[in-house]
């Protein structure tokens, strides 16, 4: 299995995490409590996803997942 073969739900969760983090980091975010709760929920889903049991180098794979989700987010926004 190639490190870049991430399940779709994992990539979508990372993209949702990125979007939530960006919303929370905005100049004057609305409903910060809900955003923080969502960030915690998504963080748990990312951390405990079963995919990590099949990856030989989890830290490298997590980094690659973040890069992939950012790249897909830029493509979708364009």
């Amino acid at each position: 299995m190639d490190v870049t073969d991430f399940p779709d739900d994992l990539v979508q969760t990372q993209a949702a995490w990125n979007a939530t983090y960006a919303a929370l980091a905005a100049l004057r975010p609305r409903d910060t409590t809900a955003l923080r709760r969502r960030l915690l929920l998504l963080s748990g889903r990312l951390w405990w996803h079963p995919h990590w049991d099949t990856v030989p180098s989890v830290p490298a794979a997590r980094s690659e997942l973040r890069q992939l989700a950012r790249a897909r987010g830029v493509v979708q926004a364009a």
Side-chain angles (χ1 to χ4, degrees):
M1 174 186 276
D2 189 16
V3 158
T4 59
D5 291 338
F6 295 109
D8 287 337
D9 67 319
L10 186 58
V11 176
Q12 291 171 356
T13 303
Q14 182 65 55
W17 190 96
N18 292 348
T20 304
Y21 187 87
L24 191 57
L27 185 57
R28 292 186 182 153
R30 302 183 79 181
D31 204 6
T32 57
T33 301
L35 288 171
R36 288 178 181 171
R37 286 180 181 157
R38 179 155 173 75
L39 200 59
L40 283 170
L41 174 75
L42 293 169
S43 294
R45 287 183 185 168
L46 285 170
W47 187 262
W48 297 109
H49 195 280
H51 174 72
W52 303 125
D53 294 336
T54 65
V55 177
S57 177
V58 174
R62 287 184 194 276
S63 178
E64 190 160 343
L65 172 65
R66 286 190 298 272
Q67 292 172 2
L68 176 67
R70 270 190 238 122
R72 284 191 184 178
V74 169
V75 170
Q76 289 176 357

